[in-house]
Amino acid sequence: MNHNSDQDLKMIAETARDFAEKNIRPHIMEWDEAQIFPIDLFHQLGEMGFMGILVPEVYGGAGLGYQEYVSVLDEISQVDPSIGLSVAAHNSLCTNHILEFGNEEQKKKWLPQLASGKVIGAWGLTEHNTGSDSGGMSTTAVKDGDEWVITGAKNFITHAISGDIAVVMTRTGEKGAKNNSTAFVLEKGMPGFSSGKKENKLGMRASETAELIFDQVRVPDSHRLGEVGSGFKQAMKILDGGRISIAALSLGIARGAYKAALKYSKERNQFGQAIAKFQAISFMLADMATEIDAAELLIRRAADLKNNHQKVTREGAMAKLYASEACVRISNNALQIFGGYGYTKDFPAEKYYRDSKLCTIGEGTSEIQRLVIGRDITQ
């Protein structure tokens, strides 16, 4: 699969790379240390078309496909994975959920705002006591006339504080029952809709993570996405695409860490030669390069299936599982190559190392990916 022959794809990747070098790289550690979510940057990303990559042009988006999406996330995440994570969450979760399951009126209302980057999107599924057990969530929506009253809370939500629009999964039936979940679009400013404290995280610190709180929020029925009871099926389909996002994010982290380690290994001299010449280091670099290529091939396969509207559950899970675990290994080896300097914040290895671990947890842990793959291959 030679994807590099596509000149449009290369041009989009170069555009994302140039933007990241100019607008993101100078601020990486400032944003990381202070946990700054640079909201103005996301408005700029919207102007570039990177906040509505998958949204058709008729709704104000870039009208591109998953291969372009993978390339943009890869390039941005090589520079700062935190920004890549937020771009991924905005595009593949909130925005894509409305694109996939909204009616025409809903798409026209919300997609142009999201695609422009003027409005930041959030997506609420995870709760304090459920995690991967989304079927047992406690956030409820009760019908009251032409409105729904939503009560509960979501945690570990990207853009919970700064987001303007949130797609939220609620329970509209008995806990644990099939078809018991319904999705709604909530807008900041609705009475009772608020945010909790920002999480103080190990990595991905410039990507905002916090609680969403619903205190008897009254939501018009016109904000309901799809049929009552279809929310869980919708969420699972959205997560199929989201796994490609996290895999692409993982690829960017791995590639960024590898490039930094390769450059350092050629510059660092010990015993009269560059450390890259030592077999121990060259073997580590060889493994890193091989795993990056393997991860990209899995991701590109999943993206191709998604572009062709084919089932991608197993392939997306495989790409996410392998790429996320590979990026942790690669970031660990990169830090090792830097040695003592790798443990300091003056060099890039420690941040790639901290940022990498989320990829094995977010949008389904590695254990959940294995569960998804196992069920698919044994059914």
Side-chain angles (χ1 to χ4, degrees):
M1 288 185 287
N2 183 8
H3 300 285
N4 292 327
S5 62
D6 188 332
Q7 291 302 312
D8 289 339
L9 195 63
K10 291 174 72 174
M11 183 181 70
I12 289 165
E14 287 170 5
T15 301
R17 187 182 314 137
D18 292 344
F19 180 90
E21 290 293 338
K22 179 181 177 181
N23 299 286
I24 299 174
R25 190 174 294 281
H27 308 287
I28 293 173
M29 294 313 294
E30 170 198 352
W31 294 341
D32 182 75
E33 293 283 314
Q35 287 207 109
I36 294 169
F37 177 65
I39 197 161
D40 288 343
L41 176 77
F42 290 91
H43 298 326
Q44 290 179 269
L45 284 161
E47 293 171 6
M48 298 292 294
F50 296 153
M51 298 297 273
I53 299 171
L54 303 169
V55 176
E57 293 179 55
V58 68
Y59 302 120
L64 300 174
Y66 271 81
Q67 297 294 0
E68 291 84 1
Y69 182 44
V70 166
S71 293
V72 169
L73 286 180
D74 178 9
E75 293 294 341
I76 290 174
S77 302
Q78 286 183 50
V79 176
D80 190 341
S82 295
I83 306 304
L85 174 62
S86 277
V87 171
H90 174 93
N91 275 280
S92 72
L93 298 180
C94 178
T95 304
N96 203 42
H97 198 136
I98 296 171
L99 176 64
E100 289 277 347
F101 298 106
N103 58 38
E104 193 63 22
E105 183 181 348
Q106 291 167 335
K107 291 176 184 179
K108 287 179 178 177
K109 180 176 181 179
W110 290 304
L111 288 179
Q113 300 177 59
L114 290 161
S116 70
K118 294 175 182 176
V119 161
I120 305 298
W123 194 76
L125 176 64
T126 301
E127 296 184 0
H128 296 78
N129 296 317
T130 58
S132 296
D133 180 20
S134 52
M137 62 187 170
S138 298
T139 297
T140 58
V142 178
K143 189 78 181 292
D144 183 16
D146 292 331
E147 295 181 319
W148 294 79
V149 180
I150 299 179
T151 305
K154 302 288 182 179
N155 76 328
F156 299 137
I157 306 303
T158 306
H159 310 147
I161 297 170
S162 299
D164 306 282
I165 293 173
V167 174
V168 177
M169 260 53 65
T170 68
R171 183 164 55 82
T172 48
E174 293 298 318
K175 187 176 286 190
K178 290 184 178 179
N179 304 323
N180 73 340
S181 173
T182 305
F184 295 90
V185 178
L186 276 66
E187 297 173 325
K188 279 296 174 69
M190 288 179 165
F193 182 29
S194 63
S195 306
K197 73 175 182 70
K198 181 187 286 189
E199 300 292 347
N200 189 9
K201 300 180 296 184
L202 169 71
M204 301 289 193
R205 290 169 59 82
S207 180
E208 176 188 280
T209 306
E211 277 185 309
L212 286 177
I213 300 167
F214 319 105
D215 182 8
Q216 296 188 326
V217 184
R218 302 190 76 86
V219 180
D221 189 58
S222 61
H223 284 224
R224 172 172 48 83
L225 293 171
E227 298 299 319
V228 174
S230 65
F232 183 75
K233 288 182 179 178
Q234 292 179 19
M236 293 304 101
K237 185 172 181 181
I238 293 303
L239 286 172
D240 279 350
R243 288 172 184 139
I244 298 173
S245 297
I246 300 302
L249 170 64
S250 303
L251 178 65
I253 295 172
R255 213 190 298 273
Y258 165 74
K259 286 180 177 179
L262 179 62
K263 181 175 183 291
Y264 180 81
S265 71
K266 291 178 177 179
E267 295 170 349
R268 172 70 166 167
N269 283 297
Q270 292 282 277
F271 306 103
Q273 62 179 335
I275 63 171
K277 298 294 184 182
F278 295 120
Q279 189 178 69
I281 302 299
S282 68
F283 277 17
M284 289 169 71
L285 291 166
D287 287 343
M288 292 157 78
T290 301
E291 288 193 273
I292 286 168
D293 277 8
E296 182 165 19
L297 287 168
L298 285 169
I299 296 164
R300 296 293 181 183
R301 179 182 69 168
D304 191 55
L305 289 171
K306 191 70 176 167
N307 278 344
N308 287 291
H309 308 289
Q310 296 180 31
K311 185 182 176 184
V312 73
T313 302
R314 178 173 66 179
E315 290 80 5
M318 284 180 168
K320 198 269 191 188
L321 172 64
Y322 184 83
S324 64
E325 297 207 335
C327 93
V328 173
R329 290 190 295 270
I330 289 165
S331 299
N332 179 57
N333 283 340
L335 196 151
Q336 191 72 17
I337 289 170
F338 273 87
Y341 291 116
Y343 207 67
T344 72
K345 291 183 180 292
D346 294 325
F347 289 81
E350 63 85 28
K351 185 173 182 300
Y352 287 120
Y353 184 68
R354 286 187 289 111
D355 288 346
S356 68
K357 188 56 192 170
L358 179 72
C359 296
T360 67
I361 299 170
E363 294 193 36
T365 62
S366 290
E367 291 70 32
I368 289 294
Q369 305 313 313
R370 291 185 171 95
L371 183 66
V372 169
I373 297 163
R375 282 177 175 173
D376 190 83
I377 63 179
T378 58
Q379 66 182 3

